[in-house]
Amino acid sequence: MKRAKGRKNNQLRATKIQTGVNRYAEGSALISMGNTKVLCMASVDEFVPRWMKDTGKGWVTAEYGMLPRSTHDRMDREAKKGRQSGRTQEISRLIGRALRASIDMEKLGERQIVVDCDVLQADGGTRCASITGGYVALHLAIQKLLKKKVITKNPMEVAVCAVSCGMFGKDALLDLNYDEDSTADVDMNFVITSDNKFVEVQGTAEHRAFSFSDLEKMKDLAVKGSKELFNLQKKALK
Amino acid sequence: MKRAKGRKNNQLRATKIQTGVNRYAEGSALISMGNTKVLCMASVDEFVPRWMKDTGKGWVTAEYGMLPRSTHDRMDREAKKGRQSGRTQEISRLIGRALRASIDMEKLGERQIVVDCDVLQADGGTRCASITGGYVALHLAIQKLLKKKVITKNPMEVAVCAVSCGMFGKDALLDLNYDEDSTADVDMNFVITSDNKFVEVQGTAEHRAFSFSDLEKMKDLAVKGSKELFNLQKKALK
Amino acid sequence: MKRAKGRKNNQLRATKIQTGVNRYAEGSALISMGNTKVLCMASVDEFVPRWMKDTGKGWVTAEYGMLPRSTHDRMDREAKKGRQSGRTQEISRLIGRALRASIDMEKLGERQIVVDCDVLQADGGTRCASITGGYVALHLAIQKLLKKKVITKNPMEVAVCAVSCGMFGKDALLDLNYDEDSTADVDMNFVITSDNKFVEVQGTAEHRAFSFSDLEKMKDLAVKGSKELFNLQKKALK
Amino acid sequence: MKRAKGRKNNQLRATKIQTGVNRYAEGSALISMGNTKVLCMASVDEFVPRWMKDTGKGWVTAEYGMLPRSTHDRMDREAKKGRQSGRTQEISRLIGRALRASIDMEKLGERQIVVDCDVLQADGGTRCASITGGYVALHLAIQKLLKKKVITKNPMEVAVCAVSCGMFGKDALLDLNYDEDSTADVDMNFVITSDNKFVEVQGTAEHRAFSFSDLEKMKDLAVKGSKELFNLQKKALK
Amino acid sequence: MKRAKGRKNNQLRATKIQTGVNRYAEGSALISMGNTKVLCMASVDEFVPRWMKDTGKGWVTAEYGMLPRSTHDRMDREAKKGRQSGRTQEISRLIGRALRASIDMEKLGERQIVVDCDVLQADGGTRCASITGGYVALHLAIQKLLKKKVITKNPMEVAVCAVSCGMFGKDALLDLNYDEDSTADVDMNFVITSDNKFVEVQGTAEHRAFSFSDLEKMKDLAVKGSKELFNLQKKALK
Amino acid sequence: MKRAKGRKNNQLRATKIQTGVNRYAEGSALISMGNTKVLCMASVDEFVPRWMKDTGKGWVTAEYGMLPRSTHDRMDREAKKGRQSGRTQEISRLIGRALRASIDMEKLGERQIVVDCDVLQADGGTRCASITGGYVALHLAIQKLLKKKVITKNPMEVAVCAVSCGMFGKDALLDLNYDEDSTADVDMNFVITSDNKFVEVQGTAEHRAFSFSDLEKMKDLAVKGSKELFNLQKKALK
């Protein structure tokens, strides 16, 4: 497997995180990983979903979407089709679970933060980029709440990021682009915390079932990549 | 009526049109008019809607959408609600009609161009910005078809742009931002061609019915603004 | 352009407005303009939409529909398709805006009037007939509220009606029927008040962009037609 | 049970059937039974549903709807709610089955007739009026096909009509209006052919279960009423 | 007409009712009539629909569904298609009406019982089996409420069951299976109470209109069959 | 953590797989794992989805559903709500991917097998039970195709099953029931092949992020459990 632009197997794509990209959202970030670009905006609501009322706890949720021509061939607009695909809902739920792992909901108090992740351009790894960039938007929204003294204790406990890996024969590769993603034998996504633990591990056999040692190889790459991503998040948040 | 940043009544907001903002779309443009930002992407399909089959003619259509946090307060995502609002459909139809006015459908041949206009940030005038920017995306897609010799005669006949005007008491203002738009007595949108004719004229009494002389005042401003917008389109297309 | 039945360019079709056509609605009118027939029923609700609660103001809204065989070829029933078309919603919104222009919402008080305009037979100009007939239904509902002393001050400020015009080459025509409407170069709808002002002006280039002098010609015809329509409304309301 | 306007227990409401009420439909009828008014329009399609293709047989189907203010209190518009109620679908299916009983589908040939029954004003018995009036519209559409020699053999085999009955204590009543319908102990609808047989019999215990002798009493009334309805149909079709 | 397995015209299929088939539902029953199998589960809610609030009365409603492969050929899943068919809603409404006839709603008090009838395998007569089995599930739920002293007076007034009949030429047959159902000339469903009265009578001419003496023949069979079904219900409830 | 009924941490619940539970489906199985019961039915279609046409390959897909009262508290029926939840779609997609891993699609040929997994009673682990039981239904359908010589080469390559694990503090537990599932710190699902590889690995931090050694502990339990499940599948298929 030769990677585009001479990228090494354990190398992330060129990644940038730009903050303050929307003047209304309490927190916003535009993340690009190679040709994948996701706009992440965190919105604070001073209420929680009905089923959480009067628990004293907050909530973080996420919504994922793709612009119709974010992809190589234009896709139909989900709003026009009248429903979100199973894939869209699955990814929205994943991002939400990932981001919730970074927050102490009691310190957040009874308010909700919705993180919208809209893909402007897709070249593989959009769910991972959404989590990595969504964390930055969420962090900025929390900082704003602290600054305005809406909350007094910092509910951010840990940073989270996500990265994909894949197996090609015996080789494990980090951060797959679309071409790699669609030909990999195995495809795994790791959501990792800055204290080096896992929030989500999702591995799928695309062309062959995989062994546990495959899984370990990919895990090692993912941990390596996550360290670089945490550094990029920190830099963006300065 | 005092305008923000000392803008004059007959002055457009700072407007920029950036092209080539998406690597997949046949034509793309990011237009910003003040704080309003719209991403316009033109996609070419080598087929036409069923009701146009075997007519030898092409078709241009448009779809409009707003990101949930493009607005001051977050809106629900239309894909999640399961339907596009009446407003969304109305604007999509308007953009489509406007862009079709610039094209000779026989020269386009039996193919369709879909122009997606997605609002990244909204501060009034999003439908007008979508038309002005959408024209640029459409133009680029046509140029690509000509370059690749998919079509041999240029179907672009005329440029189109759009601009809003409003009445505040006796004063007519050009290019309303959101605050102006929501307090104007009368609100008009003009879709204008580069040979100085009208494709659409839509005036709505928001707080009082208007006289024909009001309409004339707004028309004069719109024509003045359109000339500047045609220059910006030309510059972007160079 | 030769018009059917020797009609002159500046002549309305034979128009009738019949009131009291439904025993339940607070106000009702059946309007026929040539072969176009629209049943208009105004219903009073003693509440307002949620976003208007506790404002002390009332609301007027409209819903438009077409019977499946109101048209030359049968259309699918929107209730069965599970959604209203963009056109239906656009026209509903237009009728609502037009009728609201006739009412002082503070005098109406916190109640809502819904005006249903259902097309029994369509031969062009259904949105205009809906506004002209809908005004009569609305007026009757208001009169009933005054008579029953539910409200004490008359909130009706001005009458509204609507009429379409079109350009055929250099000729402007008043009140287009379906055949004319589908071949006109330009198509305009004017919503006019009885004190000779405009509530809505909507012009669309169907086959060619139009000049401002085209617009003026059509405006003159529309004003002429509106005077006749106001007389017919008055007669019907006696 | 005292009936409105001194009506006898075995007496139909004043019933009128007016034909030719729509200029496009192949057959049309406006039926009024007391204050219930239903507009029935038959539309001929030169195709059949997919599952009937190449059977050589035709098809008759029906769609039922109510205008929002056909009822005492305004109902939400089904097209706006995005779905037809169970009741609407149930009645549509009933009307379709009833009308199909009058036709020899082989003689009709591979074409479909859709009968739209739209309630303009509802005062009980709308499904029965739809069947009785729908038969007239269907008959007229068939006559048109025969006249234009699209079909050569008359597929109409028998007339159908429908009427409701109810039990109040020991008394059976014919043709219930809305007030009666909502207080009856038992409610039955009979679809009857002109050769005195039954196409549908639907009895429902509203407030008490009923005996077979109750059913017989109601059946006798229904047969009596059907004879008068067949005469009215004949008169309308002359 | 020769029946499968030498069954006589007036003979029910082998019928079994098994109770306690679900550990969560307040009442549950699995009924099999020949190859038709329906799982019935009664759920108690301590509230009533909004329109019944503060009436002091309870409510019983039913929902019917078929598993996709309950039928000979797999059907699409209604949840996936995004809507229940007219048939599904019609049957749900019928089951609800039938079961409500067995209950004194004042004694039930302001609570609701929902009876879900899900067809595991369908071989004709699923709506009748749903009513007969649904009654058992409802009865068990009521007994549980009495045992837990949530209610003190028994609201069950009478048992209900349902059975289908059909005409084949001059012969009336009891309890049609799918093959019989789809070839019968006439098809009737009877919902009967244990004191020998009717809750619903629904007869449909499938291939020919029917006489009143046909109806009487079918009614006699249905009454005969109902006696056997009431015995089976009693046995199951012991 | 004390488990119900003295179950050990590495012990499956009592599990049974019953085959031939539906007379129409090409393959069917009812699996119960403790109180979780899922009915699995495989249906063969002699066509493939449009996007697979003319590839010469077959397809296997799955649909998951829950009966409304399969759960402790009754859930709304998805068919009635008009849409499948994100969770339902996510599980349907997972089951499909899992089952596809067992099949050589070229040997299956251009036909599709749909495996419906309907939960009759839910006590945790329904997605895993669906995969384990769905495999049996699929296997039976394949055997039928081989027996009828519709296909000549056996496309089954490997068995698949699935099992859940969870962490409670430092303890890993096998096959969580609902109470355990909702209190576990970490929750993992493993889809495993009979040659001891992984098709899907999905781990989610519910209350705390987890270490890689946690993941290894759970993996070991899952592999142990899978061996017992493969034996039960074999026994059922004899």
Side-chain angles (χ1 to χ4, degrees):
Chain A
M1 184 73 205
K2 258 204 166 155
R3 309 192 81 176
K5 304 186 184 174
R7 184 149 64 107
K8 292 184 199 147
N9 286 359
N10 71 353
Q11 198 180 342
L12 290 178
R13 290 177 283 180
T15 300
K16 258 182 286 187
I17 305 173
Q18 189 183 343
T19 60
V21 295
N22 176 285
R23 63 188 276 119
Y24 306 124
E26 280 73 17
S28 67
L30 174 62
I31 183 168
S32 56
M33 297 188 76
N35 288 318
T36 288
K37 292 182 191 178
V38 185
L39 191 52
C40 306
M41 307 199 204
S43 300
V44 178
D45 292 327
E46 286 300 316
F47 55 82
V48 284
R50 213 178 316 173
W51 54 271
M52 288 202 65
K53 250 189 166 172
D54 302 322
T55 60
K57 293 185 186 175
W59 189 243
V60 171
T61 187
E63 292 189 11
Y64 171 91
M66 298 182 87
L67 293 195
R69 195 56 193 275
S70 60
T71 45
H72 196 276
D73 295 307
R74 186 179 183 276
M75 302 181 309
D76 286 339
R77 194 175 282 266
E78 291 193 330
K80 199 174 178 192
K81 288 196 292 183
R83 52 184 212 86
Q84 294 181 302
S85 71
R87 178 186 173 275
T88 293
Q89 291 179 67
E90 193 171 320
I91 295 178
S92 295
R93 287 154 51 92
L94 170 66
I95 302 170
R97 285 197 308 270
L99 296 180
R100 281 194 291 278
S102 66
I103 299 273
D104 178 331
M105 293 301 172
E106 304 215 349
K107 289 188 186 148
L108 180 54
E110 276 201 37
R111 57 185 52 80
Q112 172 176 261
I113 303 181
V114 182
V115 181
D116 287 290
C117 299
D118 284 276
V119 179
L120 304 185
Q121 197 170 271
D123 187 26
T126 60
R127 77 190 71 191
C128 291
S130 296
I131 290 167
T132 304
Y135 169 77
V136 173
L138 176 61
H139 190 110
L140 289 166
I142 294 284
Q143 284 184 327
K144 196 163 200 177
L145 289 174
L146 284 166
K147 211 173 180 180
K148 290 167 64 183
K149 307 209 170 160
V150 178
I151 53 178
T152 50
K153 291 178 196 166
N154 189 352
M156 295 256 54
E157 298 197 309
V158 71
V160 293
C161 74
V163 70
S164 74
C165 296
M167 294 302 298
F168 289 78
K170 294 186 174 178
D171 297 336
L173 271 69
L174 180 65
D175 185 22
L176 311 184
N177 68 15
Y178 179 77
D179 283 342
E180 292 167 346
D181 189 60
S182 46
T183 53
D185 292 327
V186 183
D187 179 21
M188 283 201 84
N189 292 297
F190 294 86
V191 182
I192 306 182
T193 59
S194 49
D195 56 359
N196 210 10
K197 293 203 169 149
F198 300 93
V199 175
E200 289 270 340
V201 171
Q202 295 192 338
T204 298
E206 299 286 354
H207 295 107
R208 62 164 176 82
F210 55 94
S211 67
F212 195 69
S213 96
D214 290 336
L215 189 155
E216 277 187 291
K217 278 188 207 167
M218 292 186 277
K219 183 263 302 181
D220 289 339
L221 281 187
V223 169
K224 186 243 175 206
S226 72
K227 288 182 182 157
E228 298 169 39
L229 292 170
F230 288 125
N231 279 333
L232 288 162
Q233 287 179 336
K234 260 189 237 159
K235 232 176 75 183
L237 285 168
K238 256 181 205 158
Chain B
M1 183 73 205
K2 259 205 167 156
R3 307 194 82 178
K5 304 185 187 176
R7 184 150 64 106
K8 290 183 199 149
N9 285 359
N10 70 353
Q11 198 180 342
L12 289 178
R13 289 176 285 179
T15 300
K16 261 181 284 187
I17 306 174
Q18 190 183 342
T19 60
V21 295
N22 176 285
R23 62 188 277 120
Y24 306 124
E26 280 73 18
S28 66
L30 174 63
I31 183 168
S32 56
M33 297 189 78
N35 288 317
T36 288
K37 293 182 190 178
V38 185
L39 191 52
C40 307
M41 308 199 204
S43 300
V44 178
D45 292 327
E46 285 301 314
F47 55 81
V48 284
R50 212 177 316 173
W51 55 271
M52 288 201 65
K53 253 190 164 170
D54 303 321
T55 60
K57 293 186 185 174
W59 189 243
V60 171
T61 187
E63 292 189 12
Y64 171 90
M66 298 181 88
L67 293 195
R69 195 57 194 275
S70 60
T71 44
H72 195 275
D73 296 307
R74 185 179 184 274
M75 300 182 310
D76 286 339
R77 193 175 282 266
E78 291 192 329
K80 198 174 178 192
K81 286 195 295 182
R83 53 184 213 85
Q84 293 182 302
S85 72
R87 178 185 174 277
T88 293
Q89 292 178 68
E90 192 171 321
I91 295 176
S92 294
R93 287 153 52 92
L94 170 66
I95 302 169
R97 286 197 307 271
L99 297 179
R100 282 193 290 279
S102 66
I103 299 272
D104 178 332
M105 293 300 172
E106 305 216 346
K107 290 189 185 147
L108 179 55
E110 275 201 37
R111 57 185 53 80
Q112 173 177 261
I113 304 181
V114 182
V115 181
D116 287 290
C117 299
D118 284 276
V119 178
L120 303 186
Q121 198 170 270
D123 187 27
T126 60
R127 78 189 70 191
C128 291
S130 296
I131 289 167
T132 304
Y135 169 77
V136 174
L138 176 62
H139 191 110
L140 290 166
I142 295 284
Q143 283 184 327
K144 196 164 200 177
L145 289 174
L146 284 165
K147 212 173 180 179
K148 290 168 63 182
K149 306 208 171 160
V150 178
I151 54 179
T152 51
K153 291 178 195 166
N154 189 352
M156 294 256 56
E157 300 197 307
V158 73
V160 294
C161 73
V163 69
S164 74
C165 295
M167 294 302 298
F168 288 79
K170 295 187 172 175
D171 297 335
L173 271 68
L174 179 66
D175 184 23
L176 311 184
N177 67 16
Y178 179 77
D179 282 344
E180 292 167 345
D181 189 59
S182 47
T183 52
D185 291 327
V186 183
D187 178 22
M188 283 201 84
N189 293 297
F190 294 86
V191 182
I192 306 181
T193 60
S194 49
D195 57 358
N196 209 12
K197 294 203 169 149
F198 299 93
V199 175
E200 290 271 339
V201 171
Q202 295 192 338
T204 299
E206 299 286 354
H207 294 107
R208 62 164 177 81
F210 54 95
S211 66
F212 194 70
S213 96
D214 291 335
L215 189 156
E216 277 187 291
K217 279 188 205 167
M218 291 185 278
K219 183 264 301 180
D220 289 338
L221 281 187
V223 169
K224 187 245 174 203
S226 73
K227 287 181 181 156
E228 298 170 39
L229 292 171
F230 289 125
N231 280 333
L232 288 162
Q233 288 180 336
K234 258 189 238 160
K235 233 175 72 182
L237 286 167
K238 257 183 204 154
Chain C
M1 184 72 204
K2 257 203 169 158
R3 310 194 79 178
K5 303 185 185 176
R7 186 150 62 109
K8 291 183 198 149
N9 285 359
N10 69 353
Q11 197 180 344
L12 291 178
R13 289 176 285 178
T15 300
K16 260 182 285 186
I17 305 173
Q18 190 183 343
T19 60
V21 295
N22 175 284
R23 61 187 278 119
Y24 307 123
E26 279 74 17
S28 68
L30 174 63
I31 183 169
S32 56
M33 296 189 79
N35 288 317
T36 288
K37 291 183 190 177
V38 185
L39 192 52
C40 308
M41 307 200 206
S43 300
V44 178
D45 292 327
E46 285 300 316
F47 55 81
V48 284
R50 214 177 315 173
W51 55 270
M52 289 203 64
K53 250 188 166 173
D54 303 321
T55 60
K57 292 186 186 176
W59 190 243
V60 171
T61 187
E63 293 188 11
Y64 172 91
M66 298 182 88
L67 293 194
R69 194 57 193 275
S70 60
T71 45
H72 195 274
D73 295 307
R74 186 179 183 275
M75 302 180 310
D76 286 338
R77 191 175 284 266
E78 292 192 330
K80 199 174 176 189
K81 287 196 292 183
R83 51 183 213 86
Q84 292 182 302
S85 71
R87 178 186 174 275
T88 293
Q89 292 179 66
E90 191 172 322
I91 296 177
S92 295
R93 287 154 50 92
L94 170 65
I95 302 170
R97 287 197 306 271
L99 295 181
R100 281 194 289 278
S102 66
I103 299 273
D104 178 331
M105 292 303 172
E106 305 217 346
K107 289 187 185 150
L108 179 55
E110 275 201 36
R111 55 185 55 80
Q112 172 176 261
I113 304 182
V114 182
V115 181
D116 287 290
C117 298
D118 284 275
V119 179
L120 304 186
Q121 199 170 269
D123 188 27
T126 59
R127 78 189 70 190
C128 291
S130 296
I131 290 167
T132 306
Y135 168 78
V136 173
L138 175 61
H139 190 112
L140 289 167
I142 294 285
Q143 284 184 328
K144 196 164 198 177
L145 288 174
L146 284 165
K147 212 173 179 179
K148 290 167 66 182
K149 308 208 168 159
V150 178
I151 53 178
T152 51
K153 291 178 195 166
N154 189 352
M156 288 263 49
E157 299 197 309
V158 71
V160 293
C161 73
V163 69
S164 74
C165 295
M167 294 303 297
F168 289 79
K170 296 186 171 176
D171 297 334
L173 270 70
L174 178 66
D175 184 22
L176 310 184
N177 68 15
Y178 179 77
D179 283 342
E180 293 166 346
D181 189 59
S182 46
T183 52
D185 292 326
V186 182
D187 179 22
M188 284 200 82
N189 292 297
F190 294 86
V191 181
I192 306 181
T193 60
S194 49
D195 56 358
N196 210 11
K197 294 202 168 151
F198 300 92
V199 175
E200 290 269 340
V201 171
Q202 296 192 337
T204 299
E206 300 285 353
H207 296 106
R208 61 164 178 82
F210 55 95
S211 67
F212 195 70
S213 97
D214 290 336
L215 189 155
E216 276 187 292
K217 278 188 206 167
M218 292 186 277
K219 183 266 301 180
D220 289 339
L221 280 187
V223 169
K224 187 243 173 206
S226 73
K227 287 181 182 157
E228 297 169 39
L229 291 171
F230 289 125
N231 280 334
L232 287 162
Q233 287 179 337
K234 259 188 235 160
K235 233 175 75 183
L237 285 168
K238 254 180 205 158
Chain D
M1 185 70 204
K2 258 205 167 156
R3 309 192 81 178
K5 303 186 187 175
R7 186 151 63 109
K8 289 184 200 148
N9 285 0
N10 69 352
Q11 199 180 342
L12 290 178
R13 288 177 284 179
T15 300
K16 261 182 283 186
I17 305 174
Q18 191 182 342
T19 61
V21 293
N22 176 284
R23 62 187 277 119
Y24 306 123
E26 280 73 18
S28 67
L30 175 62
I31 184 169
S32 56
M33 297 188 78
N35 288 318
T36 288
K37 292 182 190 177
V38 185
L39 191 52
C40 306
M41 308 200 204
S43 300
V44 178
D45 292 327
E46 285 302 314
F47 55 81
V48 284
R50 213 177 315 174
W51 55 271
M52 288 202 66
K53 251 189 164 172
D54 302 321
T55 60
K57 293 184 186 176
W59 189 244
V60 172
T61 187
E63 292 188 12
Y64 171 91
M66 298 180 87
L67 294 193
R69 195 56 194 276
S70 60
T71 44
H72 196 275
D73 296 308
R74 187 179 182 274
M75 300 181 312
D76 286 339
R77 192 175 284 265
E78 290 192 331
K80 199 174 176 190
K81 287 195 294 183
R83 54 182 213 87
Q84 293 182 301
S85 71
R87 177 185 174 275
T88 293
Q89 292 180 67
E90 191 171 322
I91 295 177
S92 294
R93 287 153 52 91
L94 169 67
I95 301 170
R97 287 197 306 271
L99 296 180
R100 283 193 289 279
S102 67
I103 298 272
D104 178 331
M105 293 300 172
E106 305 215 348
K107 289 188 185 150
L108 180 55
E110 276 202 35
R111 56 185 53 82
Q112 172 177 262
I113 305 181
V114 182
V115 181
D116 287 291
C117 298
D118 284 276
V119 178
L120 304 185
Q121 197 170 272
D123 187 27
T126 60
R127 77 189 71 189
C128 291
S130 295
I131 290 167
T132 304
Y135 169 78
V136 173
L138 175 61
H139 191 110
L140 289 166
I142 294 284
Q143 283 184 328
K144 196 163 199 178
L145 289 174
L146 284 165
K147 213 173 179 178
K148 290 167 65 182
K149 307 212 170 157
V150 178
I151 54 178
T152 51
K153 290 177 195 168
N154 190 351
M156 295 254 58
E157 297 197 308
V158 72
V160 293
C161 73
V163 70
S164 74
C165 296
M167 294 302 298
F168 288 79
K170 296 187 171 175
D171 297 335
L173 270 70
L174 179 65
D175 184 22
L176 309 185
N177 67 16
Y178 179 76
D179 283 343
E180 292 167 346
D181 189 59
S182 46
T183 52
D185 292 325
V186 183
D187 178 21
M188 283 200 84
N189 292 297
F190 294 86
V191 181
I192 306 181
T193 60
S194 50
D195 56 358
N196 209 10
K197 292 200 169 151
F198 299 93
V199 175
E200 289 270 339
V201 171
Q202 295 192 338
T204 298
E206 299 286 354
H207 294 108
R208 63 166 176 80
F210 55 94
S211 66
F212 195 70
S213 96
D214 290 335
L215 188 155
E216 277 188 290
K217 278 188 205 167
M218 291 186 279
K219 182 266 299 180
D220 289 339
L221 280 186
V223 169
K224 188 243 172 204
S226 73
K227 287 181 181 157
E228 297 170 38
L229 292 170
F230 289 125
N231 280 333
L232 288 162
Q233 287 180 335
K234 259 189 237 163
K235 234 175 74 182
L237 286 167
K238 257 184 204 155
Chain E
M1 184 69 205
K2 258 204 169 158
R3 309 192 81 176
K5 304 187 186 173
R7 186 150 63 109
K8 290 185 199 147
N9 286 359
N10 70 353
Q11 199 180 342
L12 291 177
R13 289 177 284 180
T15 300
K16 260 182 284 185
I17 305 174
Q18 192 183 342
T19 60
V21 295
N22 176 284
R23 63 187 276 121
Y24 306 124
E26 281 72 18
S28 68
L30 174 62
I31 183 168
S32 55
M33 297 189 78
N35 288 318
T36 288
K37 291 183 191 178
V38 185
L39 191 52
C40 307
M41 307 200 205
S43 300
V44 178
D45 292 327
E46 285 301 315
F47 55 80
V48 284
R50 211 177 317 174
W51 53 272
M52 287 202 65
K53 252 189 166 173
D54 303 321
T55 61
K57 291 185 187 176
W59 189 245
V60 172
T61 187
E63 292 189 10
Y64 171 91
M66 298 182 88
L67 294 194
R69 195 57 193 276
S70 60
T71 44
H72 195 276
D73 296 308
R74 186 178 183 276
M75 302 180 311
D76 286 339
R77 193 175 284 267
E78 292 192 329
K80 198 174 177 191
K81 287 196 294 183
R83 54 184 211 84
Q84 293 182 302
S85 71
R87 179 186 172 275
T88 293
Q89 292 179 66
E90 192 172 323
I91 295 177
S92 295
R93 286 154 52 91
L94 169 66
I95 302 170
R97 287 197 306 271
L99 295 181
R100 281 194 289 280
S102 67
I103 299 274
D104 178 331
M105 293 301 173
E106 305 216 346
K107 289 187 185 149
L108 180 55
E110 275 202 36
R111 55 186 53 81
Q112 173 177 260
I113 303 181
V114 182
V115 181
D116 286 290
C117 299
D118 284 276
V119 178
L120 303 185
Q121 197 171 272
D123 187 27
T126 60
R127 77 188 71 189
C128 291
S130 295
I131 290 167
T132 305
Y135 169 77
V136 173
L138 176 61
H139 191 110
L140 289 167
I142 294 284
Q143 283 183 328
K144 197 163 198 177
L145 289 174
L146 284 166
K147 213 171 178 180
K148 290 167 64 181
K149 306 208 171 160
V150 178
I151 53 178
T152 50
K153 290 178 196 167
N154 189 351
M156 293 260 52
E157 298 196 308
V158 72
V160 293
C161 73
V163 69
S164 75
C165 296
M167 294 302 298
F168 289 79
K170 295 186 172 175
D171 296 335
L173 270 69
L174 179 65
D175 184 22
L176 309 184
N177 67 17
Y178 179 76
D179 283 343
E180 292 166 346
D181 190 60
S182 46
T183 53
D185 292 327
V186 183
D187 179 21
M188 284 201 83
N189 293 297
F190 294 86
V191 182
I192 307 182
T193 59
S194 50
D195 56 357
N196 210 11
K197 293 201 168 152
F198 300 93
V199 174
E200 289 271 338
V201 171
Q202 295 193 337
T204 299
E206 299 286 353
H207 295 107
R208 62 165 177 81
F210 54 94
S211 67
F212 195 69
S213 96
D214 290 335
L215 188 156
E216 277 186 291
K217 278 188 206 167
M218 291 186 278
K219 182 266 299 180
D220 288 340
L221 280 187
V223 169
K224 188 244 172 203
S226 73
K227 287 181 181 157
E228 296 170 38
L229 292 170
F230 289 126
N231 279 334
L232 287 162
Q233 288 180 335
K234 259 189 236 161
K235 233 175 74 183
L237 285 168
K238 256 182 205 157
Chain F
M1 184 73 204
K2 257 202 168 158
R3 308 193 82 177
K5 302 186 187 176
R7 187 151 62 108
K8 289 182 199 149
N9 285 0
N10 71 352
Q11 197 180 343
L12 291 177
R13 289 176 285 179
T15 300
K16 261 182 285 187
I17 306 174
Q18 190 183 344
T19 60
V21 295
N22 176 284
R23 61 188 276 121
Y24 306 124
E26 281 73 17
S28 66
L30 174 63
I31 183 168
S32 56
M33 297 188 79
N35 288 318
T36 288
K37 292 183 190 178
V38 184
L39 191 53
C40 306
M41 309 200 204
S43 300
V44 178
D45 292 328
E46 285 301 315
F47 55 81
V48 285
R50 214 178 315 175
W51 55 271
M52 290 201 64
K53 252 187 165 174
D54 303 321
T55 61
K57 293 186 187 175
W59 189 243
V60 171
T61 187
E63 292 189 12
Y64 171 90
M66 299 182 87
L67 293 194
R69 195 57 193 274
S70 59
T71 43
H72 195 275
D73 295 307
R74 186 178 182 274
M75 300 181 311
D76 285 339
R77 192 175 284 266
E78 291 192 331
K80 198 174 177 191
K81 287 196 293 184
R83 52 183 214 88
Q84 293 183 301
S85 71
R87 178 186 173 275
T88 293
Q89 292 179 68
E90 191 173 322
I91 295 177
S92 295
R93 287 154 51 92
L94 169 66
I95 302 170
R97 287 197 307 270
L99 296 180
R100 282 194 289 279
S102 66
I103 299 273
D104 178 331
M105 293 301 173
E106 304 216 348
K107 290 189 185 150
L108 179 56
E110 275 201 37
R111 56 185 53 80
Q112 171 176 262
I113 304 182
V114 182
V115 181
D116 287 290
C117 299
D118 284 277
V119 179
L120 304 185
Q121 198 170 271
D123 187 27
T126 60
R127 77 188 71 191
C128 291
S130 296
I131 290 167
T132 305
Y135 169 77
V136 173
L138 176 61
H139 190 110
L140 289 166
I142 295 285
Q143 283 184 328
K144 197 163 197 177
L145 289 174
L146 284 166
K147 211 172 179 179
K148 290 167 65 182
K149 307 209 169 160
V150 178
I151 53 179
T152 51
K153 290 178 197 166
N154 190 351
M156 294 253 59
E157 299 197 309
V158 71
V160 293
C161 74
V163 69
S164 73
C165 296
M167 293 303 296
F168 289 79
K170 296 186 172 177
D171 297 334
L173 271 68
L174 179 65
D175 184 24
L176 310 184
N177 68 16
Y178 179 76
D179 283 343
E180 292 167 346
D181 189 60
S182 44
T183 52
D185 291 326
V186 183
D187 177 21
M188 284 201 84
N189 293 298
F190 294 86
V191 181
I192 307 181
T193 60
S194 49
D195 56 358
N196 211 10
K197 294 202 167 150
F198 299 93
V199 175
E200 289 270 340
V201 171
Q202 295 193 338
T204 299
E206 299 286 354
H207 295 107
R208 62 164 177 82
F210 55 95
S211 67
F212 194 69
S213 96
D214 290 336
L215 189 156
E216 277 187 290
K217 277 188 206 167
M218 291 185 277
K219 182 265 299 179
D220 289 338
L221 281 187
V223 169
K224 187 245 173 203
S226 73
K227 288 184 180 155
E228 296 169 39
L229 293 170
F230 288 125
N231 280 334
L232 287 163
Q233 287 180 336
K234 259 189 237 161
K235 231 174 78 183
L237 286 167
K238 258 184 202 153

